[in-house]
Amino acid sequence: MKANLLLTLLLCGSAALAQERFTLTNLDDFMDQAGNWEIVGNVVADPNIAVHTHQDEASTKLSNKKKQKHPNPITVTPGTGVLYNNYSFTKKDHLLTQWEHGDIILELEVLIPKASNSGLYLQGRYELQIKDSYGVSQPTSSDFGGIHRNWETTPSKVFMGIAPTSAPYKAPGEWQTLKIHFQAPRFNEQGEKTANAKFIEVKLNGVVIHNNVEVPLPTGGPISKKESATGPLMIQGDHGPMAFRNISFQFLEMP
């Protein structure tokens, strides 16, 4: 395994720096947000009950009677070690790291409640979709593991996304693993882009779902439509509740 990783890095012209890990004892590694993101000890989600998401009617329109008919399917245990998006219709900020990255290897576990939705934005610009896609056999770019499309209308700026090559999805409420090897876009001394951003490899639950796929433009909802050599990692927070744990990352340094 180590030999294969080393070979991959050599082929990409990158040198690996030390692997780092979010302690998830506090939110110091992240920028300020509205309060929907918190550190907890554990999250359990009932796989049979769908959560409220951005696709539901606003909470202000839900009567108290209706609210009582929709019990909260998520149980949260106080403590540390788990990053939790306690999404609501009024608190739904994205979460951005204090640091920026270029080439990176990112590993994490994610728990997706039934019907929920989020996304990992590499450099804050290129979204890898996180979504409850359990039961989907022919995924699209908007399913879990898909590289999301953008919403441009000018033909030269349109990117329609890239679907994952397989669908190794677990049921909602189960912890699932992601490993992402991302290569940042390249620029010359004049600031002109010479190579597109690329997902060298993405594994979902141990299965390769992307292999050397280029992303020529930012996907929908980026921090900026202007590409650059570095940017923060962003986790989407305005689509639904989500939990993450065991997040580690390894910056790759170009020679």
Side-chain angles (χ1 to χ4, degrees):
M1 179 65 112
K2 290 183 179 178
N4 289 338
L5 176 58
L6 178 60
L7 177 60
T8 299
L9 296 177
L10 289 173
L11 290 174
C12 296
S14 300
L17 302 179
Q19 188 178 61
E20 299 186 51
R21 189 184 186 91
F22 288 107
T23 60
L24 298 183
T25 57
N26 55 53
L27 292 169
D28 290 351
D29 289 314
F30 303 98
M31 297 182 185
D32 292 340
Q33 36 80 34
N36 49 302
W37 291 94
E38 56 188 89
I39 300 296
V40 301
N42 194 26
V43 173
V44 176
D46 189 322
N48 300 307
I49 304 176
V51 296
H52 290 305
T53 72
H54 67 301
Q55 295 178 325
D56 297 315
E57 58 184 317
S59 60
T60 55
K61 296 180 181 179
L62 292 173
S63 68
N64 289 332
K65 187 175 181 180
K66 284 185 177 180
K67 288 180 183 178
Q68 291 173 1
K69 290 182 179 180
H70 293 83
N72 189 347
I74 298 176
T75 301
V76 176
T77 303
T80 62
V82 176
L83 176 65
Y84 175 52
N85 178 25
N86 188 14
Y87 166 88
S88 73
F89 293 105
T90 57
K91 293 183 179 180
K92 49 185 179 180
D93 276 1
H94 302 323
L95 189 67
L96 284 79
T97 55
Q98 294 278 8
W99 44 259
E100 295 193 352
H101 72 87
D103 296 2
I104 190 173
I105 293 176
L106 176 69
E107 298 183 60
L108 55 85
E109 292 180 75
V110 58
L111 182 148
I112 310 173
K114 184 176 177 63
S116 200
N117 188 325
S118 182
L120 290 173
Y121 283 75
L122 283 299
Q123 295 190 317
R125 293 171 173 83
Y126 313 100
E127 181 187 5
L128 190 78
Q129 176 81 313
I130 298 179
K131 179 182 179 181
D132 174 23
S133 296
Y134 184 62
V136 173
S137 59
Q138 296 182 323
T140 68
S141 62
S142 63
D143 282 304
F144 188 14
I147 300 170
H148 212 286
R149 62 168 294 173
N150 64 22
W151 307 108
E152 301 289 342
T153 55
T154 303
S156 62
K157 296 181 179 180
V158 172
F159 172 63
M160 294 305 296
I162 302 171
T165 56
S166 58
Y169 304 135
K170 293 184 179 181
E174 294 188 34
W175 286 100
Q176 307 192 56
T177 60
L178 266 173
K179 183 173 183 180
I180 302 164
H181 181 181
F182 173 81
Q183 181 175 292
R186 303 297 195 237
F187 299 87
N188 61 23
E189 293 181 356
Q190 290 72 43
E192 301 166 328
K193 189 170 72 168
T194 58
N196 291 325
K198 182 185 290 186
F199 285 88
I200 302 296
E201 184 178 80
V202 179
K203 285 185 177 181
L204 173 58
N205 297 323
V207 178
V208 175
I209 60 171
H210 291 295
N211 185 34
N212 283 321
V213 293
E214 295 190 15
V215 186
L217 295 162
T219 59
I223 58 170
S224 173
K225 294 181 181 180
K226 182 179 180 181
E227 296 180 280
S228 66
T230 64
L233 178 68
M234 182 173 81
I235 309 176
Q236 189 177 56
D238 66 349
H239 278 29
M242 196 75 51
F244 301 86
R245 70 183 184 188
N246 295 328
I247 308 172
S248 62
F249 56 95
Q250 193 168 17
F251 296 131
L252 304 177
E253 187 177 74
M254 293 301 296

